[in-house]
Amino acid sequence: MQGISWLNYLKIRGSLGLIGYASVGRNRFLYLDEYSNGGGTPSFGGNISNINSRLFFGNPSSLNSNPSSQLQLSNPVVWHSKVGNPNVTWEKSIKRNIGIETAFFKDKLLINADLFDEKRYDILLPRDNSAPDIFGESLPFTNYGENYNKGYEIEATFRNTIGDFEYRLYAQLTHAVNEIVLTDEPVNLAPNLRRTGQSIDQYFGYQVIGFYQSLDDIAASPASKVSGPVIPGDFKYADINGDNVINDQDRVPIGYTDVPRNVFGIEPSISYKGIGLSALIQGVSKVSSNLIFDGNGRNQYYSRMLDRWTPENAVNANWPAMRPGSLGGNPSYNVNSFLLQDASYVRLRNIELSYQFPAAIMDKLKLGSLRLFVNGQNLLTWTKLIGLDPESNISRTYNRQFFSNPTYTYPVTKVYNFGLNVQF
Amino acid sequence: MKHNIYFLLLGALLLATACKEDFLQRDPGAPISKEDVFSDPLLAARFADNSYNFLIDDYGRISQAQRHKGTTGQFSDEAIGSGAADFLPYMTVMNQGNFLDPLATDVVEIYTRMYQGIRNVNVMLSKLESVPWDGSPSNPQLIKAEMLYLRGFFYFELAKRYGGVVLLDKALAAGENLDLPRSSFDETVEFILNDLQEAENLLDTQSAINYNNQRPKEWDDRQYGRPTIGAVRALRSRLLLLAASPLHNPGNDAGKWKQAADAARSIMDMGRYSLHNNYANLLNQGTPINEYILIKVRGPRPFNSGFMPDFIMPPSSGGAQGLLNPTQNHVDLYEMSNGRAITDPTSGYNPQNPYANRDPRFYANIIYNDMTWQNRKIQMWVGGTDYQPGSSSFTRTRYYCRKLWPEVYRGGSTATAILNFVFFRYGEVLLNYAEALNEAEGPVAGVYAAVNQIRTRAGMPNLPTGLSKEQMRARIHNERAVELAFEEHRWWDILRWKKGKEIVAPTIKAMDVVREGNRFIYNVVPMAAIYQRVFEDHMHLYPIPRAEVDKSRGVMVQNPGW
């Protein structure tokens, strides 16, 4: 870097790798084909038999209603418990990365940037979504799917000292998007329902185009076959496929996924003669949440519902009409573009004020160091999300297409600390 | 040193005895290979037995989350499903005619389940020859008969829902083309008939340790519940009745009705089966009776979970939810005990004393206001113990279903009873015969004899003589609705008669009971909108589940109208 005074460090780096994944959250022995001997308790509670359960033949009177006695008296069965594929191999991914590391003005400004992408392929799928059910059992896993993921990361640090005054600003941004290139889907699936070409875990739902304003409005609109009957004040959904019926075939990709596309952080800090003030601000954007207040039939209501549609409040309504649970399923509480929320947020993750006692005092007290601090976590949050905390998303195992018994995680808590740190 | 020698000897003994344990004994639960299964007659027979598990073998099954809730009768005019939140959506999709909805379990789940059963059978049939059966108690030819019977049953369940379906007589391989076309309904019937004929021939000629070689051939008591010749013929009777019915016999070919009548007749001629003496405890027999042709063998249903407390019994009787509520439409089908319909002005029916002097089967099937039940009077009025306005745990029609509720299930007791799921009973065979023979030959003596046999057992007078063919048809349809109530017949009868618009679509009604002093005022009232049904002509056949059509490159053709 001779002759360039403002640039004191420059490194360009890159990597290319092929990685194999053996165990992808499932069984490691996908090539094994297995049968099992035994079976569950015979059905007796009043539902049709569970497949692969034990069987009883003989006189009903020789059984009593005790499950363990039923298990003992019944015949075991043998069933095909695992469908193996001897040809399965690793899932693979090709990862590429190119980066730059720089330092300017005698290390006062540091900027690093990375550009990356990843092609994951030979993804193991059982092909059950595309194979007709006449096959009669689960299909074995095969190496089939492909996903593509790309993005960039930038981080920058600026630091400077003016006499006893030091300041530092660190900022970081990650952007990543992914796309399902190839997955297991029915060959004639309607285009609006295809996951191919969408992000992994893309939300699908109904497009809300307003409220039904009256019975006449309902009669004049395409017939709704979403959950129970519609009443005035329910959401009116777009008839995407134009068949004059609103049903699950009219769902479209809406919003983003529950994994943010952008994640950023800013960390400013200043210090002067042992007094320090630092903060960490974090945020995410381009993320959706299917958190809703589904109180229907569960006797739970929220203040948001005061804004509901009523004939008097039809113009300013900001929530579907309330209805008795006896009407059956509520069509307005299916995932839709109104209920799916923007879960972006900016959060003051941490802020701290501290004082480091001078070394001279330490010597007199015969202490190594003494530091007094007060800090707080999650003190401020800016978000449009209504309901719970934007970070308490719905459990990932939960089916995104319907709202039923969603499982929430605990929201993050505000924490205040006051402390004295002594080292001998 | 001496001690050491003893220890060595002891060790050697232990090693020797360790091998005496039967190391071929399979530990249940440990995985085994396909070769292991089909080289061991015991395991192979168990694999075959698993095929039984795919049958539709109980009453309550429509709900997805709570699998013991919901009967097909609740799709029809027979009953409604009171509105429990976890159950009602599965009913409303059917009641509203949204058979393509993913919640329509009888459309979506049964299709898959039947093909799973068919695969299990086909795998077993393909392996049958290679199993070393010698020396085992199983006769592979009888296993073959069971498998063919079950495959016929699975295809029958498909045919009565969807019409013609994809016919598979071998298990498909994973790499094979799975996008196969449906066969016609007639081809499907033919396929089932062939399976049944072969099964019957084997059951007629084969024998085994646990299968009598005396006539009539039957399984011994400990194998009761496996198909017999009677069961084969009963399934054939039901199949041919379906094939002769208006849904699949638009030209009303009398030959098809004759075939159906002959199939039923072949069971009557066996002399093996007869009507049980008491209609009221027909389903509660722990020791098989001669009316049963094939039942699902189960122990008593537990008191504290499942079907009884969560589907049949309201809180007032020690249950949690009484969701199976017979409609007024169904109640009105019971004649007066003099054999006249309540609509007949000479019947003596009094709308203000509606439960007096009815067909004895009414009292066996229905729980109604002021009835004595479990040592007390039923109170169906507002403020009475057995009805609560606004609570979906109680009846919405002011009726509960007695037929599926043995009286010992009650509050303050944990007694249980047998409630059999009956696949086939002789009563149905007689009605199949009467219906088919009337269509083929008109109301001849044999028709009267069959129906009157049913009525006599119930305690009802004979049918009046001189009925026309149409009048007789109406009487037989009514007789089926009453005699076979809540036994998973009504919905399927309506579909095959193509009478959904006449029977399911009209207003579903309930009884309103008001107590005034010590008398009651009865008013028949229409039910709330959610219990009313949409039924259009194309709904007599179920749609193929949408996903299955989506998976096909145009080969899988959807039923018309869907």
Side-chain angles (χ1 to χ4, degrees):
Chain A
M1 295 299 146
Q2 295 291 329
I4 308 172
S5 60
W6 49 273
L7 178 64
N8 60 320
Y9 183 79
L10 174 67
K11 179 162 129 187
I12 297 171
R13 54 185 159 75
S15 68
L16 177 67
L18 174 65
I19 297 168
Y21 300 85
S23 170
V24 275
R26 301 185 202 98
N27 198 303
R28 285 187 294 152
F29 305 105
L30 294 172
Y31 56 92
L32 285 179
D33 195 70
E34 280 174 5
Y35 287 71
S36 291
N37 180 16
T41 311
S43 92
F44 62 96
N47 48 291
I48 54 175
S49 293
N50 291 318
I51 58 172
N52 314 330
S53 57
R54 287 164 186 255
L55 284 168
F56 184 80
F57 293 107
N59 287 355
S61 58
S62 53
L63 289 167
N64 63 37
S65 62
N66 177 349
S68 61
S69 118
Q70 299 216 352
L71 197 63
Q72 274 173 6
L73 289 168
S74 54
N75 304 341
V77 295
V78 169
W79 72 98
H80 195 191
S81 48
K82 227 173 76 182
V83 186
N85 176 2
N87 300 321
V88 288
T89 178
W90 317 82
E91 287 189 11
K92 298 170 202 73
S93 85
I94 296 175
K95 290 189 175 188
R96 297 187 298 179
N97 176 53
I98 184 158
I100 184 168
E101 291 176 25
T102 58
F104 300 92
F105 313 120
K106 296 178 183 163
D107 284 351
K108 274 184 188 160
L109 177 65
L110 308 173
I111 298 177
N112 298 337
D114 277 285
L115 205 59
F116 60 86
D117 77 352
E118 177 189 3
K119 176 179 139 177
R120 179 124 169 192
Y121 61 103
D122 279 353
I123 293 174
L124 287 159
L125 296 167
R127 305 300 302 276
D128 283 334
N129 293 334
S130 54
D133 282 7
I134 60 166
F135 183 69
E137 66 182 352
S138 266
L139 280 125
F141 278 89
T142 51
N143 294 96
Y144 181 69
E146 183 182 324
N147 295 338
Y148 182 69
N149 180 29
K150 67 177 178 189
Y152 57 80
E153 276 181 28
I154 301 173
E155 55 176 356
T157 310
F158 184 74
R159 55 192 178 201
N160 202 5
T161 311
I162 305 168
D164 287 336
F165 184 69
E166 275 181 55
Y167 64 98
R168 180 178 180 276
L169 182 68
Y170 170 81
Q172 167 269 338
L173 167 68
T174 304
H175 171 82
V177 287
N178 61 46
E179 182 192 340
I180 296 171
V181 178
L182 185 63
T183 191
D184 177 43
E185 291 191 292
V187 61
N188 273 330
L189 190 66
N192 52 304
L193 296 172
R194 289 198 168 275
R195 288 182 297 127
T196 306
Q198 303 292 337
S199 296
I200 298 165
D201 290 331
Q202 172 66 45
Y203 283 112
F204 282 77
Y206 298 96
Q207 198 71 47
V208 174
I209 53 173
F211 293 103
Y212 289 104
Q213 297 297 346
S214 62
L215 289 171
D216 289 343
D217 189 8
I218 292 171
S221 304
S224 171
K225 301 203 167 181
V226 181
S227 311
V230 285
I231 59 170
D234 274 330
F235 285 134
K236 190 191 279 187
Y237 297 139
D239 180 14
I240 299 295
N241 60 9
D243 62 354
N244 221 27
V245 169
I246 309 291
N247 59 18
D248 62 329
Q249 297 298 293
D250 293 305
R251 291 176 301 118
V252 289
I254 51 173
Y256 297 97
T257 71
D258 62 1
V259 178
R261 285 192 181 177
N262 297 323
V263 179
F264 59 88
I266 301 167
E267 226 181 311
S269 66
I270 52 176
S271 68
Y272 178 74
K273 288 190 173 175
I275 300 169
L277 180 64
S278 68
L280 169 60
I281 297 158
Q282 267 186 354
V284 301
S285 71
K286 297 204 169 172
V287 56
S288 295
S289 168
N290 61 355
L291 209 65
I292 60 157
F293 327 105
D294 179 2
N296 189 53
R298 294 188 174 81
N299 305 320
Q300 277 185 31
Y301 297 93
Y302 303 86
S303 58
R304 182 73 193 269
M305 296 173 176
L306 293 170
D307 258 353
R308 71 194 180 278
W309 188 97
T310 60
E312 297 75 34
N313 188 34
V315 182
N316 299 318
N318 201 20
W319 198 261
M322 298 286 102
R323 56 200 265 145
S326 61
L327 266 185
N330 189 335
S332 294
Y333 283 140
N334 285 269
V335 178
N336 59 52
S337 57
F338 182 96
L339 295 179
L340 194 75
Q341 297 196 61
D342 180 352
S344 302
Y345 68 89
V346 175
R347 166 161 279 170
L348 181 60
R349 173 75 64 205
N350 189 44
I351 185 162
E352 179 174 276
L353 180 66
S354 64
Y355 180 66
Q356 178 83 47
F357 286 87
I361 299 174
M362 291 303 99
D363 289 344
K364 279 185 190 164
L365 295 174
K366 300 208 166 31
L367 287 174
S369 84
L370 185 63
R371 186 168 170 273
L372 200 61
F373 65 89
V374 55
N375 69 28
Q377 286 160 23
N378 307 313
L379 298 187
L380 288 169
T381 302
W382 294 270
T383 182
K384 285 187 219 156
L385 185 95
I386 297 153
L388 285 178
D389 186 273
E391 283 183 275
S392 33
N393 224 329
I394 285 172
S395 157
R396 308 199 100 253
T397 57
Y398 169 67
N399 180 346
R400 296 183 156 65
Q401 288 167 17
F402 299 98
F403 289 109
S404 57
N405 300 323
T407 328
Y408 301 107
T409 52
Y410 272 103
V412 298
T413 48
K414 281 183 186 174
V415 177
Y416 299 90
N417 290 311
F418 175 78
L420 188 66
N421 190 323
V422 185
Q423 284 177 9
F424 298 97
Chain B
M1 191 64 201
K2 231 176 187 177
H3 289 292
N4 285 350
I5 287 168
Y6 288 137
F7 279 124
L8 276 173
L9 280 171
L10 188 67
L13 194 70
L14 280 171
L15 280 170
T17 51
C19 292
K20 281 191 178 163
E21 288 295 320
D22 185 359
F23 56 86
L24 288 176
Q25 181 76 40
R26 301 276 175 202
D27 179 22
I32 39 184
S33 73
K34 187 170 195 167
E35 290 69 35
D36 290 340
V37 173
F38 294 109
S39 60
D40 179 335
L42 178 69
L43 296 180
R46 287 178 179 179
F47 182 86
D49 272 356
N50 193 28
S51 309
Y52 284 92
N53 280 321
F54 298 88
L55 285 171
I56 300 170
D57 58 10
D58 209 350
Y59 303 101
R61 62 179 175 81
I62 301 303
S63 165
Q64 218 165 28
Q66 303 281 318
R67 298 186 62 104
H68 43 266
K69 293 179 182 175
T71 65
T72 58
Q74 290 164 302
F75 303 160
S76 77
D77 66 329
E78 192 173 72
I80 61 102
S82 184
D86 60 348
F87 157 71
L88 200 61
Y90 303 96
M91 281 292 138
T92 46
V93 292
M94 292 303 287
N95 294 343
Q96 300 299 316
N98 301 339
F99 293 12
L100 280 166
D101 193 287
L103 296 186
T105 56
D106 198 50
V107 178
V108 179
E109 287 188 355
I110 297 302
Y111 186 87
T112 304
R113 183 183 175 98
M114 292 304 105
Y115 276 107
Q116 288 172 336
I118 288 162
R119 181 182 185 85
N120 213 69
V121 164
N122 283 337
V123 168
M124 187 63 219
L125 289 174
S126 71
K127 293 287 173 190
L128 200 67
E129 304 295 324
S130 62
V131 179
W133 295 104
D134 285 352
S136 92
S138 300
N139 175 348
Q141 293 307 307
L142 284 171
I143 290 181
K144 186 176 183 184
E146 291 173 82
M147 294 300 103
L148 290 169
Y149 180 75
L150 291 173
R151 187 167 72 185
F153 214 145
F154 299 142
Y155 271 115
F156 171 75
E157 295 286 6
L158 291 170
K160 84 176 176 186
R161 288 172 171 80
Y162 312 98
V165 291
V166 179
L167 297 175
L168 302 171
D169 59 3
K170 63 180 180 55
L172 294 164
E176 240 176 301
N177 174 27
L178 305 176
D179 192 5
L180 299 173
R182 297 168 65 184
S183 294
S184 69
F185 176 78
D186 287 348
E187 288 162 344
T188 305
V189 171
E190 205 54 43
F191 185 96
I192 301 169
L193 287 175
N194 286 337
D195 277 356
L196 294 183
Q197 190 56 55
E198 201 179 340
E200 181 171 342
N201 293 345
L202 292 168
L203 289 170
D204 197 34
T205 54
Q206 298 291 319
S207 62
I209 293 168
N210 46 25
Y211 188 71
N212 285 347
N213 50 14
Q214 305 294 314
R215 284 179 183 278
K217 296 222 170 191
E218 294 269 332
W219 297 94
D220 72 24
D221 278 356
R222 286 185 305 173
Q223 299 300 320
Y224 185 80
R226 294 186 191 272
T228 57
I229 291 172
V232 175
R233 293 181 177 181
L235 176 55
R236 184 188 292 129
S237 161
R238 205 183 274 178
L239 172 70
L240 289 172
L241 193 69
L242 172 68
S245 295
L247 179 61
H248 295 294
N249 185 11
N252 199 21
D253 174 3
K256 289 189 176 180
W257 287 112
K258 183 71 173 65
Q259 276 186 305
D262 289 347
R265 179 89 219 175
S266 74
I267 302 159
M268 295 154 68
D269 288 345
M270 288 171 79
R272 161 73 180 78
Y273 301 103
S274 58
L275 294 179
H276 180 56
N277 56 15
N278 182 358
Y279 177 82
N281 64 16
L282 194 50
L283 303 180
N284 311 115
Q285 302 301 314
T287 306
I289 51 173
N290 286 337
E291 181 155 0
Y292 291 168
I293 300 177
L294 186 70
I295 66 166
K296 168 67 184 177
V297 180
R298 279 199 177 80
R301 290 154 198 260
F303 179 85
N304 53 0
S305 70
F307 184 76
M308 282 300 164
D310 295 342
F311 183 59
I312 298 293
M313 300 160 65
S316 51
S317 297
Q321 291 167 321
L323 305 180
L324 176 59
N325 307 154
T327 61
Q328 188 63 39
N329 308 45
H330 174 71
V331 166
D332 285 348
L333 299 179
Y334 292 86
E335 295 168 359
M336 300 302 286
S337 57
N338 58 21
R340 296 194 180 121
I342 62 164
T343 48
D344 180 341
T346 66
S347 68
Y349 177 69
N350 175 1
Q352 286 312 318
N353 190 12
Y355 309 130
N357 303 322
R358 302 292 291 269
D359 182 330
R361 288 172 291 189
F362 170 77
Y363 307 103
N365 292 350
I366 307 289
I367 292 171
Y368 55 92
N369 184 51
D370 209 33
M371 165 192 189
T372 300
W373 175 245
Q374 300 178 338
N375 302 330
R376 65 183 183 86
K377 292 274 192 182
I378 291 290
Q379 305 179 342
M380 290 290 194
W381 60 88
V382 177
T385 52
D386 300 287
Y387 170 71
Q388 263 187 29
S391 166
S392 53
S393 301
F394 289 83
T395 178
R396 303 289 87 206
T397 62
R398 320 286 176 110
Y399 299 110
Y400 294 107
C401 173
R402 180 174 183 179
K403 196 181 217 174
L404 302 185
W405 184 357
E407 196 163 2
V408 298
Y409 288 91
R410 59 202 290 181
S413 158
T414 53
T416 59
I418 296 279
L419 174 66
N420 290 319
F421 181 82
V422 177
F423 290 110
F424 301 103
R425 63 177 173 94
Y426 190 58
E428 180 206 343
V429 170
L430 290 174
L431 288 169
N432 290 355
Y433 179 69
E435 181 182 341
L437 189 62
N438 181 54
E439 299 296 339
E441 297 176 9
V444 294
V447 177
Y448 275 96
V451 181
N452 286 339
Q453 212 182 322
I454 294 280
R455 290 172 69 88
T456 303
R457 185 263 302 267
M460 287 292 286
N462 285 349
L463 289 177
T465 52
L467 293 174
S468 72
K469 181 175 176 178
E470 287 68 33
Q471 286 169 328
M472 178 59 90
R473 179 186 299 145
R475 296 303 289 255
I476 293 170
H477 285 191
N478 201 71
E479 203 66 31
R480 284 185 76 93
V482 168
E483 170 73 20
L484 303 173
F486 311 110
E487 293 180 52
E488 293 290 294
H489 285 277
R490 180 64 172 169
W491 173 242
W492 307 112
D493 281 346
I494 292 167
L495 295 187
R496 70 182 172 84
W497 293 331
K498 282 198 91 174
K499 287 201 160 181
K501 288 177 95 164
E502 276 170 67
I503 298 177
V504 180
T507 307
I508 300 294
K509 291 170 288 181
M511 183 61 93
D512 181 48
V513 181
V514 176
R515 186 189 186 206
E516 216 180 65
N518 43 15
R519 67 183 197 106
F520 301 104
I521 300 168
Y522 293 98
N523 264 311
V524 174
V525 290
M527 297 204 67
I530 188 155
Y531 300 113
Q532 300 301 333
R533 282 78 191 273
V534 172
F535 200 103
E536 288 158 25
D537 205 40
H538 64 272
M539 295 173 187
H540 290 106
L541 275 185
Y542 281 9
I544 300 288
R546 170 139 36 212
E548 298 306 304
V549 177
D550 282 347
K551 288 170 182 177
S552 170
R553 296 174 193 276
V555 175
M556 173 62 67
V557 180
Q558 184 56 284
N559 279 332
W562 289 109

